[in-house]
């Protein structure tokens, strides 16, 4: 169902849109929930601008007091979504991919800052930063993105389908602490470090990498794969810090798709490691954790079986 690529026999995006509404149903004002339910386009409900704003409202303890301004702000967010979708349609000319490469980041700064703080802590780098100083100009990367898109379309078109089902925007930044990230609080947004994607193969690798995280955020939300995903921490094959089971599952999903991409294209990895054996070693280690140390749901067991059916270590 999910590997080596998503079959899409069901409209998972529509299911996820309904899940978003039910998740926030008791956490934000009913009038905004009613407005959400009146939107018949699931890609709008799942747009990173909408998701980020819903988390903002959830984090506010006194949402009812500010209801009037929040309703107005929500309509403003929906207007930003329409502008984003228009830019995405126009981006096909320069980037080939119908994604918004110049998204409005007003509601995403907390997401960016939080991930930069985590990356800083992991690297023991205490150098202060300001978000605005680390945003990259997407226009200069257009030729690299378009060349990367051609690689993906010609070799793994099914991964392009997956990407465009769930990802709607890309933010490029420059900060050597991390190659990129995706965050459920800005679901549908890929954050990619421009310092790591100077060539089309590296850009293709990173687009596939981060879009796979976005996709798996949605799949894990719809189909929980671990009975307890946060209580235990494990040494993974990629990161220095110990990761919860949630992170191990993410690594298996992303690594398995990257390895398949490298094997089909004969492209040499370049972002996380410089050879495919590094990726396979990390995948093998994480599969061992899932098979021997994790308590998985039926969906989780099926996912591990599907990956093992392709990769034998």
């Amino acid at each position: 169902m999910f590997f080596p690529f998503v079959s899409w026999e069901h409209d998972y995006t529509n299911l996820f849109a309904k899940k978003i509404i039910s998740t926030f149903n008791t956490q934000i004002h009913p009038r905004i929930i009613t407005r959400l339910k009146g939107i018949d386009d699931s890609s709008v409900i799942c747009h990173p601008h909408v998701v980020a704003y819903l988390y903002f409202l959830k984090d506010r303890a006194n949402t009812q007091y500010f209801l009037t301004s929040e309703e107005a702000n929500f309509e403003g967010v929906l207007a930003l979504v329409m502008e984003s979708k228009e830019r995405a349609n126009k981006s096909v000319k320069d980037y080939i991919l119908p994604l918004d490469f110049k998204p409005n980041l007003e509601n995403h700064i907390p997401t960016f800052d939080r991930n930069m703080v985590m990356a800083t802590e992991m690297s023991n780098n205490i150098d202060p930063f300001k978000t605005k100083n680390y945003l990259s100009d997407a226009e200069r990367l257009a030729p690299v993105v378009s060349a990367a898109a051609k690689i993906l379309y010609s070799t793994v078109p099914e991964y392009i389908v997956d990407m465009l089902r769930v990802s709607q925007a890309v933010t490029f930044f420059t900060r050597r602490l991390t190659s990129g990230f995706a965050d459920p609080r800005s679901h549908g947004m890929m954050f990619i470090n421009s310092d790591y994607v100077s060539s089309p193969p590296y850009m293709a690798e990173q687009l596939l990498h981060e879009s796979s995280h976005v996709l798996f955020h949605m799949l894990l939300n719809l189909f929980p794969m671990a009975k307890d995903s946060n209580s235990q921490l494990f040494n993974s094959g990629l990161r220095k810090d110990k990761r919860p089971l949630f992170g191990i599952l993410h690594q298996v999903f992303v690594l398995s798709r990257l390895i398949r991409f490298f094997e089909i294209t004969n492209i040499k990895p370049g972002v996380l490691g410089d050879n495919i054996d590094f990726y396979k070693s990390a995948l093998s280690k994480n599969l061992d954790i899932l098979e021997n140390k994790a308590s998985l749901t039926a969906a989780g067991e099926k996912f591990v079986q599907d990956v093992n059916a392709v990769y034998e270590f």
Side-chain angles (χ1 to χ4, degrees):
M1 183 163 56
F2 304 143
F3 185 82
F5 49 85
V6 179
S7 60
W8 297 106
E9 72 270 22
H10 301 293
D11 187 350
Y12 296 124
T13 305
N14 187 51
L15 292 175
F16 188 54
K18 293 178 180 178
K19 186 70 178 289
I20 288 172
I21 294 174
S22 66
T23 297
F24 289 96
N25 188 48
T26 60
Q27 300 174 334
I28 61 178
H29 198 279
R31 271 157 51 183
I32 294 180
I33 291 295
T34 299
R35 181 71 177 90
L36 271 175
K37 291 180 177 178
I39 299 172
D40 58 7
D41 185 346
S42 59
S43 71
V44 172
I45 299 172
C46 297
H47 194 280
H49 291 344
V50 171
V51 174
Y53 189 66
L54 293 178
Y55 272 106
F56 165 75
L57 293 182
K58 176 189 171 210
D59 292 342
R60 298 267 295 267
N62 50 355
T63 54
Q64 188 165 357
Y65 180 79
F66 292 102
L67 178 61
T68 302
S69 63
E70 285 172 353
E71 283 186 304
N73 288 342
F74 186 60
E75 294 304 318
V77 168
L78 294 179
L80 290 177
V81 171
M82 295 302 104
E83 292 172 7
S84 176
K85 285 180 168 292
E86 184 177 352
R87 279 193 301 272
N89 289 332
K90 291 181 178 178
S91 72
V92 173
K93 176 182 177 182
D94 295 321
Y95 298 90
I96 295 182
L97 297 172
L99 299 169
D100 181 5
F101 289 91
K102 300 178 183 179
N104 183 295
L105 294 178
E106 181 179 354
N107 291 312
H108 303 283
I109 297 302
T111 298
F112 186 89
D113 286 351
R114 183 174 59 255
N115 280 273
M116 288 299 98
V117 168
M118 288 190 294
T120 299
E121 292 173 347
M122 284 171 50
S123 66
N124 295 317
N125 186 330
I126 58 174
D127 179 39
F129 67 91
K130 293 183 179 179
T131 298
K132 65 180 182 180
N133 294 339
Y134 291 96
L135 299 180
S136 292
D137 182 7
E139 290 182 355
R140 69 176 179 83
L141 293 169
V144 184
V145 173
S146 61
K150 291 177 182 177
I151 292 173
L152 293 170
Y153 269 117
S154 64
T155 58
V156 284
E158 62 274 12
Y159 287 162
I160 289 283
V161 172
D162 289 351
M163 180 191 302
L164 299 181
R165 287 267 191 162
V166 295
S167 298
Q168 301 193 55
V170 179
T171 293
F172 288 110
F173 66 95
T174 173
R175 177 79 172 166
R176 292 299 298 181
L177 293 174
T178 178
S179 61
F181 59 90
D183 192 304
R185 293 176 73 100
S186 291
H187 174 80
M189 178 90 74
M190 292 183 275
F191 295 84
I192 295 177
N193 190 330
S194 59
D195 293 338
Y196 285 76
V197 290
S198 57
S199 69
Y202 291 177
M203 179 69 79
E205 175 183 347
Q206 199 62 356
L207 285 168
L208 175 56
H209 182 152
E210 299 308 337
S211 66
S212 294
H213 278 304
V214 175
L215 173 60
F216 204 59
H217 282 316
M218 182 188 74
L219 294 176
L220 274 183
N221 194 287
L222 293 174
F223 308 100
M225 297 185 188
K227 295 178 180 178
D228 184 358
S229 61
N230 293 309
S231 63
Q232 288 182 283
L233 297 177
F234 302 93
N235 290 313
S236 72
L238 289 181
R239 293 172 52 154
K240 296 179 181 179
D241 60 323
K242 290 188 175 182
R243 303 291 293 145
L245 201 53
F246 170 88
I248 301 300
L249 284 162
H250 261 274
Q251 284 194 20
V252 167
F253 185 74
V254 174
L255 284 170
S256 59
R257 288 159 67 89
L258 285 174
I259 291 170
R260 182 171 180 267
F261 167 68
F262 295 136
E263 289 182 336
I264 289 174
T265 61
N266 289 318
I267 286 176
K268 183 179 179 181
V271 178
L272 298 179
D274 60 4
N275 65 80
I276 196 171
D277 290 337
F278 171 78
Y279 289 69
K280 287 183 175 180
S281 175
L283 176 59
S284 176
K285 184 172 184 177
N286 286 320
L287 280 172
D288 180 68
I289 291 172
L290 294 181
E291 292 177 304
N292 300 308
K293 300 178 182 178
S295 180
L296 302 178
T297 65
E301 291 175 351
K302 176 65 167 59
F303 169 60
V304 172
Q305 290 172 2
D306 288 346
V307 176
N308 274 324
V310 177
Y311 299 110
E312 297 181 1
F313 298 102

